[in-house]
Structures are given as structure tokens and as C-alpha cells.
Amino acid sequence: MHANTAEPDAPKVHLLLNNPSSLNRAASISKIYNSIDSVKGKVKKLCNLFESAKSSSTSTELSPKVVLRPAKSIGYSSSFSSSFNNPLIRLPGTEDRIVVYLTSLRGIRRTYEDCYAVRMIFRGFRVWVDERDVSMDSAYKKELQSVLRKKNPSLPQVFIKGKYVGGADVIKSMFEVGELAKILEDFPRIQQPGLVCDCCGDVRFVPCGNCSGSRKVFDEDEGLLKRCLECNENGLIRCPNCCS
């Protein structure tokens, strides 16, 4: 039986050895398998490289978040204390109030949004704020320029108890860390928050009653029209109801 099975296999081996095309096919197949193995090895190496790079990047991304949080709060508190306690920047006659220089015009969107955000922050604390709109009265703009000693100061600008605090970024940061609430503890709270002034509609200005907003009055003695001395360049006066 063993001799009979071995005899038919011998011609097959002989044919494979004598057939060069079959040998080339076998060699090419072995080369393909070898190339596939090499590609798999390269893919594994690349995967290992990407995994190591990903792990290192995640570790570097997570570590600054833990380290930078206290550093940010420390830097903020020092900058605020230096500006709030600066004896060179004072607003005389406002030691009992909060003064905010702002604009109600929407010509510059970022400026208007900052002014609106600061107004809403103080309204959330239910404290009365002396809002000085530089777009409604140019005297407030000149006053702010002289206090800050700048030709074009940015808006808004906040003074608390006569001391200069800063702009919108400072107020937002103080509000987020809770430092603004501590400063405003001494100020009285408005009993009915959210109410709009019936006289001016929260504009803080009304037309002058002396000249009806025309900025001119008739002098009977001289028979001439003169400039009204009670209103500003827009014929407006401060609201006697909410700004007195």
C-alpha cells in the first residue's frame, strides 16, 4: 500500500520541478506573503507611534489646566488690587456710589455689548448705579478723559466709591470669582428691582423743561434768543426721578 501511494506523487513532484512557470508562481506567492507580513509590521509600528504620541499629547493637555487655574486667579487679584487702590485715579464726589461711564449707541457692537453686560451685572445685585452716558452728554466724555488722562478711553469704565476699578473684562472677572459681591455688600439694595423708570424709561435723560429741548430761550429784557443754560448740547437734562 505504501509503495502504491508514493508512486503517483513522484510524477507530480517531477512535473513541478521540470515546470519553470509553476516555480515562478510559487516564488511570487511567497514574495506576496512576505510583503504582506512586512506591511503588517510597519502598520503595527505606526499604530504604536500614534498611540504613544496621543498619550503624550493628552498628558500635556491635561496638566496645564490644573496648573493654570490658580495662576490665573492670583494674577487677576494682583492686577485688580493695583487698579482699585491706585491713589492717582479718583473720581471726586462719588465716594458713596457706583459710577459707570458707558454708551447707549450701537455703532460699535463690541462696545455696546460690553456696556450692556456691565449694566446687567450691576442690576443683578439690585444696587443703584450712576450711569453716565457719554453719547447723550459730551461733558461726561470730557470728565472721563480728564480722570483717566486718556484721549480716547474705552467703554465702559467703572468707579466704585470714587476708586477706579476698570472696564468690562475686569468687572466680568470680579463677578465670576465672587469678588464683586464682597465689594457691593455695603451698598443698599433696591426694594423693587426690574422696574423701569416712568419718567425717562431708563434712558437717564429727559428733554429740558426750560427750553423744551430746543436749547434756546427768549430773553424778554434784550429781546433775543439765548442759549439755555440748564441743558446739554442735545437739549437734555438728567432724569429727576431716577438720577437725583
Side-chain angles (χ1 to χ4, degrees):
M1 294 293 294
H2 182 72
N4 293 331
T5 56
E7 289 177 359
D9 291 337
K12 292 182 179 180
V13 174
H14 181 71
L15 291 173
L16 289 172
L17 292 174
N18 294 329
N19 192 356
S21 61
S22 62
L23 291 175
N24 293 332
R25 189 180 297 108
S28 62
I29 292 171
S30 63
K31 287 181 181 180
I32 290 172
Y33 279 110
N34 292 331
S35 62
I36 291 173
D37 293 334
S38 64
V39 169
K40 287 183 179 179
K42 291 180 181 180
V43 170
K44 288 182 179 180
K45 290 181 181 180
L46 290 174
C47 291
N48 294 330
L49 289 175
F50 280 116
E51 288 177 357
S52 61
K54 185 177 180 181
S55 61
S56 63
S57 64
T58 52
S59 62
T60 54
E61 288 177 357
L62 293 174
S63 58
K65 290 182 180 179
V66 179
V67 176
L68 287 177
R69 277 186 178 179
K72 184 179 179 180
S73 60
I74 292 171
Y76 160 72
S77 60
S78 61
S79 64
F80 166 72
S81 60
S82 62
S83 63
F84 192 71
N85 297 321
N86 189 354
L88 299 177
I89 304 178
R90 289 287 188 272
L91 189 62
T94 61
E95 289 76 11
D96 60 341
R97 66 185 66 183
I98 304 166
V99 179
V100 179
Y101 290 89
L102 49 83
T103 178
S104 58
L105 297 180
R106 305 191 182 190
I108 302 176
R109 181 177 180 180
R110 175 64 184 275
T111 301
Y112 174 78
E113 290 177 350
D114 289 341
C115 294
Y116 181 80
V118 170
R119 288 183 69 187
M120 292 301 104
I121 288 174
F122 282 111
R123 287 193 181 187
F125 287 103
R126 298 189 303 165
V127 294
W128 181 78
V129 178
D130 185 1
E131 298 178 358
R132 302 186 176 184
D133 194 341
V134 299
S135 62
M136 303 290 281
D137 195 341
S138 61
Y140 289 144
K141 183 177 181 180
K142 295 178 181 178
E143 183 179 68
L144 182 62
Q145 289 174 345
S146 63
V147 171
L148 297 181
R149 298 177 182 178
K150 292 182 180 179
K151 185 177 180 181
N152 295 313
S154 61
L155 297 174
Q157 296 294 337
V158 180
F159 293 81
I160 300 178
K161 296 181 179 180
K163 299 178 181 179
Y164 175 64
V165 179
D169 294 336
V170 175
I171 297 299
K172 291 177 183 178
S173 300
M174 291 174 62
F175 174 70
E176 290 174 358
V177 301
E179 197 164 352
L180 185 61
K182 296 178 182 179
I183 297 174
L184 301 180
E185 289 179 352
D186 299 334
F187 288 92
R189 295 304 192 261
I190 299 174
Q191 298 299 327
Q192 295 180 345
L195 294 179
V196 179
C197 179
D198 296 332
C199 185
C200 68
D202 282 350
V203 181
R204 311 305 183 207
F205 285 91
V206 294
C208 177
N210 187 34
C211 65
S212 300
S214 64
R215 300 183 299 161
K216 295 180 180 180
V217 293
F218 182 75
D219 190 348
E220 295 180 355
D221 296 335
E222 299 182 4
L224 298 174
L225 289 175
K226 291 186 177 181
R227 172 73 167 84
C228 180
L229 301 177
E230 296 184 7
C231 59
N232 60 14
E233 73 278 4
N234 296 316
L236 303 174
I237 61 172
R238 293 277 281 177
C239 178
N241 187 23
C242 63
C243 296
S244 59

